[in-house]
Amino acid sequence: MNKKEVTARSAGDVSLGRQLSVHRIGFGAMRLTGEGIWGPPKDRNATLAVLRRAVELEVNFIDTADSYGPNVSEQLIAEALHPYPKGLVIATKGGWQRPGPNQWTHDATPAHLREAVEGSLKRLRLDRIDVYQLHTPDPVVPFEASIETLAELREEGKIRLIGLSNVTREHIERARKIVPIVSVQNRYSFADREWDYVVDYCESNGIAFIPWFPLGAGKVAGEVLNQVAKTHAATPKQVALAWLLRRSPIMLPIPGTSSVEHLGENVAAASVRLTDEEYERLAGVPELAATR
Ligand SMILES: NC(=O)c1ccc[n+]([C@@H]2O[C@H](COP(=O)([O-])OP(=O)(O)OC[C@H]3O[C@@H](n4cnc5c(N)ncnc54)[C@H](OP(=O)(O)O)[C@@H]3O)[C@@H](O)[C@H]2O)c1
């Protein structure tokens, strides 16, 4: 590693259930698969190189799911990084099924979740999964039944910590009556703030918030981003990530990429510090967009 290089450590740390601590720029491993989040990547060696480079850049939180590929993302992580370096936290998920490319269907039944955890343990070559997330609540399975199953798997030592994804505050509160919840993963960026109230709830309760699609932006957002980026000699993507890091100390962005160059750029966002004025301007984008 070049000494001058910005690494994920510069983003500071966030606690996961007061048991683990990770740098606040992680890596989303969904885009490592083939087209449509289906099958193997076009260039396996390049994909393995992205994962290894992430660890070199001190990324110590990798987000994946059994449904990415399916199975492919988890297999690639193990192939690239096992035996895992000390402190690397792999967070996987279950509760989605993949009938085909770009197709996703629910299955958070207790039987499926049990099977899914066994599959992830095998593919990731682990005895215990550090963070296991319910990918999304299943509308035809009582939410409590899914969470109780994860709580049982935790008791059995197969999962260390439990997270949720694509949930409301009500879901989090219901889950917390059963078992501690250490992270929530919902779609979020400066321009996409439906889940602001969930971020606030997580901050008040010491739960990490993992925004997915952290680089997503529309036309108005693009204009403001470009202006702010210019003054920092940064890229618009870096500014979008810097805004997230500033939004809350519990924010843990997981930008996804299949490119070593983009990975370096995303991690380097850890050194971009926005002024109050820039932060507020970006925060005002959803209202600005609504008036155009
Ligand atoms: N819980 C859920 O339901 C859920 C849903 C979606 C995603 N996720 C998780 O969230 C992670 C991130 O989400 P995401 O992959 O949808 O969105 P993202 O990180 O916002 O964007 C990824 C896209 O941006 C491109 N990109 C990344 N860095 C870039 C850069 N520096 N410059 C230009 N383009 C760049 C990537 O293409 P290149 O490969 O060409 O860089 C890719 O097409 C996923 O990997 C996954 O782990 C979770």
Side-chain angles (χ1 to χ4, degrees):
M1 188 172 65
N2 173 339
K3 268 195 182 150
K4 282 190 190 140
E5 229 157 26
V6 178
T7 73
R9 183 181 296 274
S10 310
D13 292 348
V14 63
S15 155
L16 297 168
R18 295 195 187 158
Q19 291 191 45
L20 297 169
S21 178
V22 294
H23 304 324
R24 286 205 305 142
I25 286 208
F27 178 75
M30 184 178 83
R31 306 267 173 187
L32 299 181
T33 67
E35 196 72 23
I37 323 296
W38 188 263
K42 272 198 203 117
D43 185 342
R44 193 175 191 88
N45 287 335
T47 304
L48 297 173
V50 170
L51 283 161
R52 292 182 183 130
R53 182 68 183 140
V55 168
E56 265 174 32
L57 290 173
E58 299 196 284
V59 167
N60 60 4
F61 182 84
I62 298 181
D63 178 76
T64 184
D66 59 359
S67 51
Y68 300 162
N71 304 337
V72 173
S73 175
E74 290 182 333
Q75 283 161 348
L76 288 166
I77 290 168
E79 186 178 341
L81 301 174
H82 191 273
Y84 300 114
K86 198 169 176 290
L88 177 68
V89 173
I90 298 171
T92 192
K93 320 181 194 74
W96 270 119
Q97 289 279 52
R98 299 300 308 283
N102 289 317
Q103 293 174 41
W104 306 77
T105 56
H106 291 276
D107 192 350
T109 54
H112 173 70
L113 287 174
R114 284 197 159 272
E115 237 175 66
V117 167
E118 293 301 338
S120 291
L121 281 168
K122 210 183 254 174
R123 283 183 294 276
L124 289 168
R125 302 182 213 164
L126 288 169
D127 298 327
R128 180 175 67 164
I129 294 164
D130 274 335
V131 181
Y132 196 85
Q133 306 156 95
L134 179 66
H135 207 143
T136 186
D138 183 336
V140 299
V141 175
F143 180 66
E144 277 74 9
S146 303
I147 300 299
E148 273 157 17
T149 305
L150 297 185
E152 284 162 22
L153 288 158
R154 179 172 165 266
E155 285 298 307
E156 291 163 25
K158 296 186 173 172
I159 295 174
R160 182 166 183 186
L161 302 167
I162 296 176
L164 301 175
S165 176
N166 302 308
V167 287
T168 62
R169 172 179 170 156
E170 189 210 350
H171 283 121
I172 310 170
E173 286 174 337
R174 283 163 63 189
R176 291 179 79 207
K177 288 191 180 134
I178 298 169
V179 72
I181 296 299
V182 306
S183 63
V184 168
Q185 183 172 151
N186 281 4
R187 202 191 62 219
Y188 189 77
S189 72
F190 75 97
D192 175 0
R193 305 263 292 291
E194 183 181 355
W195 301 111
D196 258 335
Y197 77 102
V198 170
V199 175
D200 293 339
Y201 175 83
C202 287
E203 184 172 319
S204 303
N205 289 283
I207 296 170
F209 185 91
I210 306 171
W212 64 263
F213 207 33
L215 305 174
K219 187 165 172 276
V220 177
E223 288 166 18
V224 181
L225 266 187
N226 283 329
Q227 288 162 9
V228 177
K230 245 190 205 164
T231 62
H232 283 272
T235 68
K237 305 272 182 203
Q238 288 176 322
V239 171
L241 290 168
W243 186 89
L244 284 167
L245 291 173
R246 164 104 189 237
R247 167 66 177 85
S248 169
I250 48 88
M251 193 70 72
L252 170 54
I254 47 165
T257 181
S258 55
S259 134
V260 167
E261 289 73 31
H262 289 169
L263 170 71
E265 181 185 323
N266 297 342
V267 169
S271 68
V272 177
R273 300 276 184 270
L274 301 178
T275 64
D276 291 349
E277 194 267 333
E278 289 165 342
Y279 175 81
E280 292 303 337
R281 258 176 82 206
L282 287 158
V285 159
E287 280 165 38
L288 187 63
T291 61
R292 288 233 193 139

